[in-house]
Amino acid sequence: MKRIFSGMQPTGNLHLGNYLGALKNWVKLQDDYECFYCVVDLHAITLPQDPEALRRASREVACAYIASGIDTNKSSLIVQSMMPAHTELAWILGSKVPLGWLNRMTQFKDKAGKDAGKQLLGLYSYPVLMAADILAYKATHVPVGEDQKQHVELTRDIAIAFNNTYGEIFPIPEPLIMGEATRVMSLRDGKKKMSKSDESDYSRINMTDDADTIMLKIRKAKTDPEPLPETAKELESRPEADNLITIYASLADTTVAEVLKSHAGEQFSTFKKDLADLAISKLIPITNRMRELMADPAEIDAILKKGADKANALTQKTLREVKDRVGFL
Ligand code: AQP
């Protein structure tokens, strides 16, 4: 059986990168896989969070999943902290992870900056918890954006190490990196990933932005003075132009080559107008649905409880198996 696990952190507003790099693909996978889509709140607290804001953001992420097309009759919506097996398994797996493996993780290096020694243990051991998230479900596939590929590769190494020591328990999960927009870049700097934690709100399109804000942010997005080229090759040295065209292709469910076929030679002022119209037509219905869902937190909590019941049954079974192999009473 093919099973999916993936998640997003409730660390602020979800943005177009989360949507195009992950969420949009999750929706497509629902018919072919058994899917568990998680709000990873334990990961969120590896950086400081206000408790009330965290609670609200956790429900908001769940609403974004549903509003984007996750069908709760097909897929399970879950919140990481409601399944104790995630953290218990993380501890057990941690006993198989050499520090050298964690030292290679670029996300920690990026987030810790020059002051790694002052960072908290949770941020450093984040990838081990992510491995436990995936392996507790015996997931076979993990749809992620390009930025999370390294963590899924580490999960594979941990699963192999564990299986080698204790016998075959875990399938070796495959990363699924799908679509044109595997790494959406900041609207202010085409070399930087679009991210929730970027100080500038103009660097990203939030899934809660209204139509005027989307229009303004795209109009202000950094570009260069050249018109749209004829081939993708010519975009290699133009990161901002490349980013906007890739976003267009992904939103329109087409390819960069197709976008260039119909827009080559156009000035960016014209193209940005088309892009804004397209983004608004795709995102605003999701934003409106999110708002409706957020008005009924009891309904969201009931959906998350149903997901947790199913996920707890499955992950406790994995955990029991692991504990038996390790030799716990
Ligand atoms: N810019 C992006 N392009 C494509 N995919 C992206 N993802 C995130 N940013 C981009 C994908 O979204 C999923 C959930 O990510 P996350 O919210 O758990 O964590 P993150 O990758 O740390 O997201 P941010 O926005 O960069 O958060 P901060 O600023 O808090 O670190 C993942 O599948 C990820 O690949």
Side-chain angles (χ1 to χ4, degrees):
M1 187 195 34
K2 297 189 292 179
R3 187 179 286 149
I4 287 219
F5 178 93
S6 199
M8 291 194 189
Q9 298 186 72
T11 45
N13 287 327
L14 293 188
H15 52 71
L16 189 63
N18 298 128
Y19 178 67
L20 296 178
L23 205 36
K24 187 166 171 275
N25 301 324
W26 296 3
V27 173
K28 290 188 185 148
L29 294 164
Q30 294 183 98
D31 291 327
D32 298 325
Y33 296 79
E34 182 189 17
C35 299
F36 289 85
Y37 293 129
C38 193
V39 180
V40 288
D41 54 351
L42 295 169
H43 284 293
I45 61 161
T46 57
L47 291 173
Q49 304 295 336
D50 170 72
E52 267 321 306
L54 180 64
R55 235 184 304 276
R56 184 183 159 80
S58 294
R59 289 201 182 96
E60 196 167 83
V61 170
C63 291
Y65 291 179
I66 299 170
S68 300
I70 301 297
D71 178 348
T72 56
N73 293 314
K74 287 186 195 157
S75 304
S76 298
L77 243 70
I78 51 180
V79 175
Q80 194 182 23
S81 62
M82 292 184 179
M83 280 83 60
H86 288 234
T87 37
E88 229 179 309
L89 184 60
W91 181 263
I92 298 171
L93 295 179
S95 67
K96 301 304 303 169
V97 182
L99 292 187
W101 290 5
L102 293 181
N103 290 339
R104 288 205 304 267
M105 296 297 111
T106 54
Q107 179 174 287
F108 177 77
K109 289 185 204 162
D110 290 346
K111 291 198 173 178
K114 291 201 181 82
D115 249 345
K118 287 193 180 150
Q119 295 302 326
L120 304 177
L121 174 63
L123 187 62
Y124 184 67
S125 60
Y126 178 120
V128 182
L129 178 58
M130 180 162 158
D133 296 337
I134 296 164
L135 298 179
Y137 295 78
K138 299 195 176 184
T140 54
H141 294 84
V142 187
V144 283
E146 186 70 41
D147 60 314
Q148 288 295 331
K149 187 165 173 242
Q150 193 185 34
H151 287 165
V152 182
E153 280 163 358
L154 180 77
T155 301
R156 290 167 60 84
D157 290 341
I158 294 174
I160 291 167
F162 204 88
N163 286 349
N164 285 344
T165 309
Y166 295 110
E168 208 67 26
I169 293 188
F170 300 119
I172 310 304
E174 296 281 345
L176 282 181
I177 298 180
M178 300 162 63
E180 286 284 311
T182 57
R183 192 174 177 83
V184 178
M185 309 309 277
S186 157
L187 299 181
R188 310 301 297 161
D189 178 351
K191 295 202 179 80
K192 235 168 100 182
K193 188 183 84 135
M194 185 178 284
S195 148
K196 301 188 205 89
S197 54
D198 195 311
E199 277 171 18
S200 166
D201 199 50
Y202 282 93
S203 69
R204 64 185 159 260
I205 293 172
N206 300 308
M207 289 184 71
T208 48
D209 283 344
D210 61 22
D212 288 347
T213 309
I214 294 175
M215 182 77 77
L216 181 69
K217 285 180 176 176
I218 292 180
R219 185 151 51 80
K220 282 182 168 283
K222 190 174 167 198
T223 35
D224 55 50
E226 302 301 315
L228 273 79
E230 283 180 9
T231 64
K233 180 109 189 79
E234 294 165 76
L235 287 170
E236 279 170 11
S237 55
R238 300 174 60 190
E240 284 84 15
D242 188 17
N243 190 35
L244 294 184
I245 295 165
T246 303
I247 291 172
Y248 189 105
S250 180
L251 282 170
D253 267 320
T254 182
T255 59
V256 167
E258 284 299 321
V259 178
L260 292 179
K261 225 188 250 174
S262 48
H263 291 268
E266 226 172 62
Q267 290 302 323
F268 264 93
S269 49
T270 311
F271 179 73
K272 280 177 169 180
K273 171 90 183 61
D274 280 358
L275 175 59
D277 289 344
L278 177 64
I280 289 166
S281 74
K282 297 283 178 180
L283 296 177
I284 290 300
I286 299 177
T287 312
N288 291 342
R289 181 77 186 114
M290 274 173 74
R291 208 169 293 133
E292 284 166 17
L293 291 162
M294 279 301 278
D296 191 356
E299 173 64 18
I300 296 299
D301 291 358
I303 289 169
L304 296 173
K305 164 84 174 58
K306 184 177 107 183
D309 288 346
K310 183 172 173 192
N312 272 320
L314 177 62
T315 55
Q316 285 299 332
K317 194 162 162 258
T318 308
L319 188 63
R320 187 63 261 163
E321 212 182 328
V322 167
K323 285 179 167 177
D324 285 345
R325 297 282 182 98
V326 172
F328 293 156
L329 286 177

